[in-house]
Amino acid sequence: MRNFAVNSLLHGNCLRTTNHKEAALQELEEYSSPFRPDVKLEDFSKEALLRLLKATARQYLAIDGIWNSVTREELGEEKARAMEMEVWRRATSSEIRRTMSALNIQGDDVATVLKAIQCAPGTAGIMDFSCELKDEKQGTLTVKRCSSLEFFERHHDTDGIQFACRTLETEVGYPETAAAVNPRIKAIPLKRPPRQSKDEICCQWLFKIED
């Protein structure tokens, strides 16, 4: 009888240990459960991490908007925009290098630029877009939805569209993206806002390596 009780107790402990291990190995879809002191990003499912990436990317963009608002209030429009250009000039190349390093993206051709764009938080996290490699020397990026442009359109901010979508992206954003991979690759705008209808694409860019 005593041996039966001991075996039952041991069996119960084993079951609880197994159940605990299985729970620990199960991927988290969200975090509405009680606090766990040992939770890490690695514990979440692919879908949960994707939602977190998109939320982080939106915050990444929101910080820029807040920063720009503060500098405009403190320094005026002209100085704030000059600083905005310089900030993105420095940040874009860093974002591309970090993305390439994290995913072991290697190379210095147009395909490498498109691969970096496909995965960078500033594009992959907030835009709906497609990339096409036409040949080894040129490829296109077509942006179908862009949260920044949609924000400006909702607020009828034509000045914001002119600065962000034409000046900033044409002089800094995509040229710096290409240059971070290879200074010989040029970013050429094929279509830029403003657009006549929301059914139109937001913008389209050609990346071309110069001989």
Side-chain angles (χ1 to χ4, degrees), residues 22-175:
E22 288 178 352
L25 290 173
Q26 188 175 17
E27 291 184 333
L28 296 173
E29 294 297 334
E30 35 91 6
Y31 196 12
S32 61
S33 58
F35 169 74
R36 285 170 46 181
D38 59 342
V39 163
K40 299 180 178 63
L41 288 178
E42 294 89 335
D43 297 326
F44 290 88
S45 69
K46 176 182 175 180
E47 291 74 17
L49 290 174
L50 183 58
R51 294 196 303 271
L52 184 59
L53 168 64
K54 291 182 176 180
T56 303
R58 288 193 293 270
Q59 181 62 19
Y60 170 54
L61 193 64
I63 289 173
D64 171 69
I66 295 167
W67 179 89
N68 188 252
S69 295
V70 172
T71 54
R72 285 203 314 270
E73 292 168 5
E74 296 292 327
L75 304 172
E77 190 75 28
E78 183 177 352
K79 184 66 174 177
R81 288 193 167 179
M83 293 175 67
E84 178 87 345
M85 296 279 283
E86 184 57 29
V87 165
W88 280 108
R89 192 182 310 279
R90 299 184 190 187
T92 299
S93 58
S94 174
E95 178 185 5
I96 295 303
R97 287 196 300 270
R98 288 177 186 273
T99 299
M100 293 175 64
S101 176
L103 297 178
N104 193 29
I105 298 173
Q106 301 182 25
D108 61 356
D109 55 6
V110 172
T112 305
V113 174
L114 297 181
K115 288 165 69 175
I117 289 173
Q118 286 176 321
C119 305
T123 47
I126 58 175
M127 295 179 182
D128 177 14
F129 62 90
S130 61
C131 295
E132 180 183 0
L133 186 64
K134 294 183 177 297
D135 55 50
E136 62 181 13
K137 291 189 175 182
Q138 58 182 347
T140 57
L141 164 69
T142 302
V143 179
K144 304 168 187 175
R145 289 198 63 187
C146 172
S147 57
S148 296
L149 176 59
E150 291 172 358
F151 173 85
F152 292 133
E153 289 176 338
R154 283 197 306 272
H155 292 83
H156 306 288
D157 188 353
T158 56
D159 193 45
I161 292 175
Q162 177 66 36
F163 175 69
C165 302
R166 299 181 74 88
T167 304
L168 183 61
E169 290 292 16
T170 302
E171 297 182 22
V172 177
Y174 290 119

